[in-house]
Amino acid sequence: MEIGISTFVETTPDVKTGEVISHAQRIREVVEEIVLADQVGLDVFGVGEHHREDFAASSPAVVLAGAASQTKRIRLTSAVTVLSSADPVRVFQDFATLDAISNGRAEIMAGRGSFIESFPLFGYDLQDYDELFEEKLELLLKIRESEKVTWRGGHRPAINNLGIYPRPVQNPLPVWIGSGGNTQSVIRAGMLGLPLVLAIIGGSPIQFAPLVKLYKRAAAQAGHDVSKLPIASHSHGFIAEDIETAADKFFPPTQQVMNVLGRERGWGHYSRASFDAARSFEGALYVGDSETVAEKIIHLRKNVGITRFMLHVPVGSMPHEDVMKAIELLGTEVAPRVREEISRWEAEQ
């Protein structure tokens, strides 16, 4: 059972003061967070790609590279790379370079993206949303498979027997599929034999169990060894010394972000009642002390089949020292408890 962190490198206004941290400072803080995550024994750190003012990481590979030479063991992944509006050649080159700097610890998490700012920015039509992803994923996997590539598609100039460099340390360079729970994306990941990441950020995580079964069935039918396919989840959460402190610190910035996005997307008001319901044992928020969060992760592993858990923290801007403390607790208290219980449970299966 792997345990890690994901972040969107947020730069939202401070709830109390209204001040906004600079993109540069927040990026430097995230590098410190990655270094700490490595020191406390976490397995993976993911940085999401966005192209808007309230998130600072438009280039996850560069942020991760900033931490790569300062870390020893932690795996470094995008969370996600918005492949639909990117050039797969450049994506592969960037992450192969990260793989070199980290000596074989880079991963790509490819997704369509739940934010659409990158499409007009890079000149793509949202009407081609599905087609762009399918075509670019095909090219990315072809590049991963072979040093010399010949390929033709509808949204990018053709490639005729050209070499793509550098080649990564890992062969193959890991490519995961990020999904919000779309049935077709889950089936596609299974058919391609690619690891799956589910964004479990609402409702009950147990509701994702049928999707995991669907993914495994598609993989098995396509001839892939299901036992070798990891399944990850990305879920919002925060850890503090006690449950109430964790809830009281995490709620205000989370509410702020959810209501900003809610106005953009037509969601209802995000209240403290909504928040408290979501941090119940069956809810999708992993907020509390170390024991509470560990128990919820164990429950997720046993009932949904997740083999990698990524805690997304923070959701809105929080004091850097609070985020660092949460990372420390996840690595030193939550992860050992989860690994021990899951090892015992797996031995009994």
Side-chain angles (χ1 to χ4, degrees), residues 205-240:
I206 303 304
Q207 293 172 335
F208 284 78
L211 282 175
V212 170
K213 288 179 182 174
L214 193 64
Y215 164 73
K216 289 182 175 180
R217 190 182 310 131
Q221 288 174 348
H224 302 292
D225 184 347
V226 176
S227 68
K228 294 181 179 176
L229 288 176
I231 303 165
S233 69
H234 146 108
S235 299
H236 297 164
F238 182 70
I239 309 163

Side-chain angles (χ1 to χ4, degrees), residues 226-305:
V226 176
S227 68
K228 294 181 179 176
L229 288 176
I231 303 165
S233 69
H234 146 108
S235 299
H236 297 164
F238 182 70
I239 309 163
E241 296 290 356
D242 63 80
I243 295 171
E244 291 311 314
T245 299
D248 290 344
K249 285 187 173 183
F250 194 62
F251 171 67
T254 299
Q255 181 190 42
Q256 181 193 57
V257 169
M258 288 301 189
N259 282 332
V260 167
L261 296 179
R263 285 191 291 274
E264 293 176 9
R265 300 180 180 192
W267 299 342
H269 177 71
Y270 190 81
S271 66
R272 180 65 192 241
S274 307
F275 174 82
D276 288 339
R279 66 184 178 94
S280 68
F281 189 69
E282 294 294 343
L285 275 182
Y286 291 73
V287 176
D289 59 9
S290 297
E291 183 179 358
T292 301
V293 173
E295 288 303 317
K296 288 192 70 168
I297 296 171
I298 291 164
H299 184 62
L300 187 68
R301 169 71 185 95
K302 290 180 177 179
N303 293 281
V304 182

Side-chain angles (χ1 to χ4, degrees), residues 54-120:
D54 44 2
F55 300 114
S58 60
S59 182
V62 178
V63 178
L64 294 166
S69 60
Q70 300 180 58
T71 54
K72 295 182 173 64
R73 199 184 68 86
I74 197 165
R75 299 193 65 76
L76 305 166
T77 183
S78 55
V80 301
T81 293
V82 186
L83 192 60
S84 307
S85 58
D87 183 346
V89 173
R90 210 63 177 118
V91 169
F92 185 87
Q93 290 173 328
D94 286 348
F95 281 87
T97 302
L98 174 63
D99 207 45
I101 297 168
S102 65
N103 194 23
R105 292 184 283 125
E107 299 181 0
I108 299 169
M109 191 190 296
R112 300 158 190 260
S114 61
F115 292 79
I116 59 172
E117 290 79 12
S118 62
F119 288 82

Side-chain angles (χ1 to χ4, degrees), residues 319-334:
H320 179 45
E321 58 270 22
D322 287 349
V323 178
M324 294 285 272
K325 184 63 178 177
I327 292 170
E328 180 189 339
L329 291 170
L330 184 67
T332 60
E333 295 186 7
V334 176

Side-chain angles (χ1 to χ4, degrees), residues 33-46:
E33 288 163 15
I34 299 170
V35 172
L36 176 63
D38 183 57
Q39 291 170 348
V40 298
L42 290 172
D43 299 293
V44 59
F45 202 108

Side-chain angles (χ1 to χ4, degrees), residues 9-22:
V9 196
E10 59 302 303
T11 53
T12 55
D14 183 280
V15 177
K16 293 178 181 174
T17 66
E19 293 180 10
V20 179
I21 189 173
S22 72

Side-chain angles (χ1 to χ4, degrees), residues 50 84 122 240 340:
H50 292 86
S84 307
F122 296 111
E340 183 181 349

